[in-house]
Structures are given as C-alpha cells and as structure tokens.
C-alpha cells in the first residue's frame, strides 16, 4: 500500500474506515438486541462480592497504562484472594504481566478488531462473573467484557456508546472526575468492593531477572557501584520526547562531574535505532537496552538504575513502581495526571506547560525542547547527591 499513489492510498483508507464504521454499527445493534434479551439482573443492587469466583480485568492499552493498573490489580486480589483472575493485556506486554502474582492468566489483546471474535470466545471460556475495565481500547473493550459472559461489568469513565452494557451505567462520570490515572483505576476497583487506601503499583522482580540483568551489564563492562543513569529518549509521540541533542549534551555534562558514570538507553524494540544513534554520540560510556532485553526483565533493569531521565512514557511508570528515582520531563501532558502519584520526594518533575495548541499525540517537539539541559542537570545532581549519600 505504501508504494501506491497517494490518491489510491487515500481511497483505501476511506474504504477501511467505512468498513470499520459499518462493523461497529452492526456490533452495536447486535449487542443492543442481546442486552434486551438478557434476563440476568445486572444492576449494582444485585452485585454480591461473595458470589464472585472468576474475574476478568481489562487493561489493554500502552505499557504505562497497564503499569498504572497494577495498583487496582493488587486491590482486587486482596479483596478476592481465592478468585481466578484473568487479565486482558496488550500483546507486547503479556510476558511481563504473566508474572504478576495477582493474576492467574494474561491473555493477549491485539489492537482494534484484529481477531475480535476469537478473542471474545477465548474470554468466554474463562467464564468470569465480574469484569473490570481498568483502561481499555474502545469501542472494543466494553463489548469484549460483555461477550465474555460477565454478569457484572464496571468501568470509569462510563461515557462510551456501549455504556448500556455496564453495571454502573448511571450516573455518568467523565475523566474530569479523576486527578490521576491510577486514581481512576482504583475507583473502578472500589466499585467491586476493593479497599484501595494506600495501594501501590506492583511489578515483581524475580531472582532470575536480576541475574539476567546483572549478566547483561557485566558482559558490557559495567562495573558494580558506579552511577548508572537511565535515559528514556523515546515516547509515543515527538511532543513527549526531549530532543536527541539535549540527551547527548546532558550526558557530557554529567560525565564532566562524574567520570565513572554509565548511561543505559532504555526503550522499545522500535526505538532501538534511535537509541543507538544517541549512544554513539555519547560514546563508550553508553549502552542500549532497547530491543536487547525481554520485556519481563525491564523492571529488574530499571530497578538497577541510580535514576532515570524520562519523558511521559511507560518506562517512567515502571521506575515509579520499582522505586527508582526519576527526573520527569513534561510539556504537553500534565504530571499531576500522569506523573508519579506517590513517593514524590524521591522524584524531580520539570513541567513546562505548552503555550501552543499541541496535543499529547502531536509530532511537534517545540514545547518539551524548551526544557534546558542545565535545569535537567541540576535535577540529576540533586538525586545523585542524595543516592550516593544514602549508599
């Protein structure tokens, strides 16, 4: 398709969009009919936590979204210690979340309608009594929860066109009701009777993962007890990405003060080439782990770092979950909604609100580029001084 003339590609995209729209309309009509014929009492008043034996949790979007959901997963497991809990997770992260002790099984979600009906059948085999949509792609998430056969379905916000399938269809609650993404997920867990006070995100770090990361670093000449600084340069959009040249200048400034420091460039396999380019400019003190370690070892790697310099990305939330200090760089997104939500004294957040109408999915890096290297260096020094002092 990429080799076709532009006009042909536009027409193909329009045709695909029309097919998707028609498919969603048909799905909506079918589920409207199914709901009318459904004789089960799905009202909140009929919900009995004591009768719940099987639970479906849906957190099928990006890595950071799923990490934020781990707090709610922990709360649900605490409330339902003997239930079988299955989670629907975006396919690239299934191996990571399969290791969560709160889950009995993780099932892969592939975006959009790819494999929609076979996936619905697979979820139905789990026979859940209860489904919680912690953070899912719509318009697929709510229909999948209903097609799983779950009698009770909770979701917040509850504003999608498929809200008629929810147990909590009323009152309508929008995103404006929540200060932070983790709070939103915990509110969903609370609807199912979970206690959410003081609950934190959780990513397990196994002994095997620790050893694998230690071996990886040792093979690349990283000595023990040196400052190990993570650089997360990639993000879901360029508007969240601190410029490449800023990262290289930051590394040079850090090395001038801490000659033994080493740099670890984290990221997804798709970001490996970009990380390689930055590492080449930094020099021999930098190594790239993007695409070089499996996703299930990421928590162990991030936990090994002295600190992480990062934009608003999934790796940021991994760092918060495993207790690694961050220097968080924000412009188009609000750190009060998507930054660290606890242990705030351990992290340094630099926020330069954008004065342009640039969305979080924009490829315009103008605003985040305004965060200066000197300011980030000062934040790094603050954390390094504290961490070195504390040993």
């Amino acid at each position: 398709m990429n080799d076709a003339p532009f006009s042909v590609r536009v027409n193909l995209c329009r045709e695909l969009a029309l097919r998707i729209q028609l498919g969603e309309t048909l799905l909506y009509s079918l589920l409207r009919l199914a709901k009318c014929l459904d004789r089960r009492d799905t009202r909140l008043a009929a919900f009995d936590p004591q009768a719940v034996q099987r639970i479906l949790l849906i957190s099928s979007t990006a890595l950071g979204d799923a990490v934020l959901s781990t707090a709610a997963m922990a709360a649900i497991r605490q409330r339902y210690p003997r239930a079988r809990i299955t989670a629907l997770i975006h396919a690239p992260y299934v191996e990571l979340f399969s290791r969560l002790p709160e889950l009995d099984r993780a099932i892969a979600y592939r975006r959009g309608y790819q494999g929609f009906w076979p996936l619905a059948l697979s979820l139905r085999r789990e026979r859940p009594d209860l489904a919680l949509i912690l953070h899912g792609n719509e318009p697929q998430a709510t229909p999948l929860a209903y097609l799983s056969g779950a009698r009770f379905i909770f979701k917040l916000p509850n504003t999608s066109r498929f809200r008629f399938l929810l147990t909590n269809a009323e009152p309508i609650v929008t995103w404006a009701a929540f200060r932070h993404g983790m709070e939103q997920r915990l509110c969903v867990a609370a609807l199912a009777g979970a206690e959410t006070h003081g609950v934190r995100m959780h990513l397990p770090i196994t002994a095997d993962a620790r050893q694998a990361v230690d071996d990886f670093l040792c093979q690349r000449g990283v000595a023990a007890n040196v400052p190990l600084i993570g650089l997360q340069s990639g993000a879901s959009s360029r508007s969240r990405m601190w410029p490449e040249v800023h990262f290289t200048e930051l590394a040079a400034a850090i090395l001038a003060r801490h000659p033994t420091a080493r740099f670890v460039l984290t990221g997804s396999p798709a970001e490996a080439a970009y990380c390689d380019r930055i590492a080449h400019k930094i020099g021999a003190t930098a190594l790239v782990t993007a695409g070089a370690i499996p996703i299930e070892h990421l928590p162990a790697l991030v936990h090994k770092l002295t600190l992480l310099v990062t934009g608003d990305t999934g790796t940021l939330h991994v760092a918060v979950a495993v207790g690694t200090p961050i220097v968080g760089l924000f412009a188009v997104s609000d750190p009060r909604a998507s930054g660290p939500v606890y242990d705030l004294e351990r992290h340094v957040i630099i926020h330069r609100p954008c004065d342009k109408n640039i969305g979080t999915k924009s490829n315009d890096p103008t605003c985040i580029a305004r965060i200066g290297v000197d300011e980030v260096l000062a934040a790094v020094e603050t954390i390094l001084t504290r961490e070195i002092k504390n040993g």
Side-chain angles (χ1 to χ4, degrees), residues 143-349:
L144 283 170
Y146 182 76
L147 291 169
S148 75
R151 178 180 171 187
F152 300 99
I153 304 171
F154 295 112
K155 179 179 184 289
L156 292 170
N158 56 356
T159 54
S160 86
R161 67 184 302 206
F162 289 96
R163 57 188 296 273
F164 65 90
L165 298 171
L166 302 177
T167 298
N168 65 311
E170 299 290 345
I172 294 178
V173 178
T174 69
W175 274 109
F178 307 105
R179 293 167 296 180
H180 194 278
M182 196 178 93
E183 177 193 10
Q184 169 263 323
R185 291 151 174 80
L186 291 176
C187 286
V188 177
L191 289 173
E195 172 56 55
T196 61
H197 180 71
V199 178
R200 292 180 168 228
M201 297 181 290
H202 175 229
L203 289 173
I205 300 175
T206 65
D208 288 346
R210 287 182 190 274
Q211 188 61 56
V213 168
D214 286 344
D215 291 344
F216 178 91
L217 296 174
C218 181
Q219 291 164 9
R220 285 154 181 81
V222 179
N225 301 319
V226 301
L228 199 58
I229 299 170
L231 304 177
Q232 173 63 40
S233 56
S236 60
S237 66
R238 290 188 64 207
S239 64
R240 298 175 187 239
M241 293 168 61
W242 204 43
E244 175 182 340
V245 65
H246 286 18
F247 275 108
T248 58
E249 290 177 1
L250 174 67
I254 292 173
L255 285 172
R257 301 184 182 199
H258 305 276
T260 63
R262 295 294 301 267
F263 301 95
V264 176
L265 281 86
T266 58
S268 69
E271 296 164 348
Y274 181 62
C275 292
D276 282 338
R277 191 164 70 239
I278 297 175
H280 178 73
K281 292 178 180 178
I282 293 174
T285 58
L287 62 95
V288 175
T289 61
I293 65 167
I295 187 67
E296 58 268 28
H297 292 169
L298 182 60
L301 172 67
V302 175
H303 184 261
K304 189 82 175 178
L305 301 175
T306 308
L307 65 94
L308 174 73
V309 180
T310 176
D312 184 8
T313 69
T315 312
L316 178 153
H317 298 295
V318 173
V320 175
V322 301
T324 296
I326 69 160
V327 176
L329 312 178
F330 287 78
V332 295
S333 54
D334 187 344
R336 294 171 298 181
S338 58
V341 70
Y342 53 75
D343 292 342
L344 301 183
E345 71 284 353
R346 301 202 66 213
H347 311 294
V348 179
I349 302 301

Side-chain angles (χ1 to χ4, degrees), residues 59-67 90 93 97 111 135 137 185 236 314:
S59 189
S60 55
T61 52
L63 174 61
D65 296 328
V67 175
H90 189 33
Y93 316 124
F97 287 86
R111 294 186 184 278
H135 197 272
N137 299 81
R185 291 151 174 80
S236 60

